[in-house]
């Protein structure tokens, strides 16, 4: 078994098309996951039912495998008449929508826990000083707490993002041809499992290391005034 450069070159357009699908899934997932995670993380600090709901939300979506969620949304929801016989059928018959929702729910569960930890790390004295200066709660949240949280969680968020990049391979189970599925398609007609999978791995390596370098640069910028001990 050897690496065939000709097969790699000829299959590159198909693999790049699969890469485009990977990003078409990943980017909306990151946005939707963030929009879901922030209010859930904030609810963790609210006493009563909201805190209980937030804890249950985080625990559930961190515990359920993303592949199971994808199957439940793509194959399970259409079994209900309210979905099959209404406008929701057009929504959930779209594999992209199911992929976005399934992966975003998983991502939001992990991200909410990361953000919750970042919010808990904000010094109480800093918040009290902001209140003393007359800042309103909304101003404190968006101008102080969340920017500080971004500094605290950037490394943890990088790890979650890298995991999510690799988790997009699960969307091949609901008919989307992502990078991994494209590599398997090349294997099907070339009978060469080594070359397309190594090429796909190289593309994943480039993506993940580009993300890692970008986060390292952002970390240096956000924490450039942090005193190291």
């Amino acid at each position: 078994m050897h690496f065939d450069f000709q097969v790699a070159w000829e299959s590159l357009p198909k693999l790049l098309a699969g890469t485009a699908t990977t990003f078409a899934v990943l980017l909306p997932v990151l946005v939707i996951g963030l929009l879901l995670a922030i209010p859930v993380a904030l609810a963790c600090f609210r006493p009563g039912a909201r805190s209980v709901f937030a804890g249950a939300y985080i625990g559930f979506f961190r515990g359920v495998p993303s592949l199971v969620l994808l199957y439940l949304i793509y194959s399970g929801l259409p079994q209900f008449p309210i979905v099959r016989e209404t406008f929701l059928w057009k929504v959930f018959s779209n594999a992209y929508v199911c992929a976005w929702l399934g992966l975003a729910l998983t991502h939001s569960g992990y991200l909410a826990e990361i953000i919750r930890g970042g919010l808990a790390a904000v010094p109480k004295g800093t918040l009290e000083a902001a209140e003393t200066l007359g800042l309103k709660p909304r101003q404190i949240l968006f101008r102080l707490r969340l920017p500080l949280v971004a500094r605290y969680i950037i490394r943890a968020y990088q790890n979650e993002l890298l995991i999510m990049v690799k988790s997009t391979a699960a969307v091949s189970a609901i008919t989307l041809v992502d990078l991994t599925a494209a590599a398997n398609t090349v294997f099907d007609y070339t009978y060469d499992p080594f070359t397309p999978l190594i090429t796909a791995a190289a593309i994943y390596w480039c993506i993940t290391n580009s993300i890692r370098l970008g986060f390292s640069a952002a970390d240096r910028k956000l924490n450039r005034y942090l005193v190291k001990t």
Side-chain angles (χ1 to χ4, degrees):
M1 192 67 67
H2 65 284
F3 185 86
D4 191 325
F5 286 95
Q6 182 175 353
V7 171
W9 177 254
E10 293 175 351
S11 64
L12 190 59
K14 185 176 290 293
L15 295 177
L16 291 178
T19 304
T21 300
T22 294
F23 278 105
V25 171
L26 176 66
L27 297 180
V29 164
L30 299 181
V31 174
I32 298 170
L34 179 63
L35 294 177
L36 291 173
I38 290 177
V40 171
L42 291 172
C44 290
F45 296 90
R46 303 287 186 180
R50 282 182 289 184
S51 177
V52 174
F53 170 78
Y57 181 98
I58 292 172
F60 179 80
F61 287 114
R62 289 179 69 191
V64 178
S66 55
L67 183 59
V68 173
L69 279 177
L70 289 175
Y71 276 129
L72 286 174
I73 294 171
Y74 185 72
S75 301
L77 288 182
Q79 304 302 317
F80 294 98
I82 193 174
V83 174
R84 189 172 60 251
E85 298 172 5
T86 65
F87 72 95
L88 292 174
W89 168 249
K90 292 185 178 180
V91 176
F92 289 103
S93 63
N94 187 311
Y96 276 102
V97 173
C98 295
W100 294 335
L101 181 58
L103 292 179
L105 289 172
T106 300
H107 181 55
S108 67
Y110 284 96
L111 184 54
E113 179 64 16
I114 292 172
I115 295 174
R116 186 204 63 77
L119 289 169
V122 176
K124 291 184 178 180
T126 302
L127 301 178
E128 292 170 355
E131 291 175 357
T132 302
L133 291 173
L135 293 178
K136 297 178 180 179
R138 183 178 296 272
Q139 292 176 313
I140 294 175
L141 175 63
F142 288 103
R143 296 186 181 182
L144 181 63
R145 293 187 76 185
L146 290 182
L148 284 174
V149 167
R151 289 175 54 185
Y152 297 153
I153 71 171
I154 188 167
R155 286 295 183 181
Y157 181 60
Q158 170 192 291
N159 293 335
E160 167 58 18
L161 177 53
L162 294 178
I163 292 171
M164 185 51 57
V165 170
K166 299 167 187 177
S167 296
T168 56
V171 301
S172 61
I174 57 171
T175 73
L176 292 179
V177 183
D178 71 312
L179 176 55
T180 302
N184 287 327
T185 301
V186 174
F187 162 54
D188 288 339
Y189 67 77
T190 62
Y191 300 102
D192 179 359
F194 189 74
T195 300
L197 290 176
I198 289 296
T199 307
I203 294 174
Y204 275 120
W205 186 89
C206 292
I207 293 171
T208 55
N209 279 279
S210 296
I211 293 172
R212 183 181 60 80
L213 292 174
F215 269 86
S216 295
D219 185 30
R220 288 194 299 271
K221 183 175 181 180
L222 289 173
N223 296 299
R224 59 189 181 278
Y225 300 122
L226 185 64
V227 177
K228 297 182 179 180
T229 58

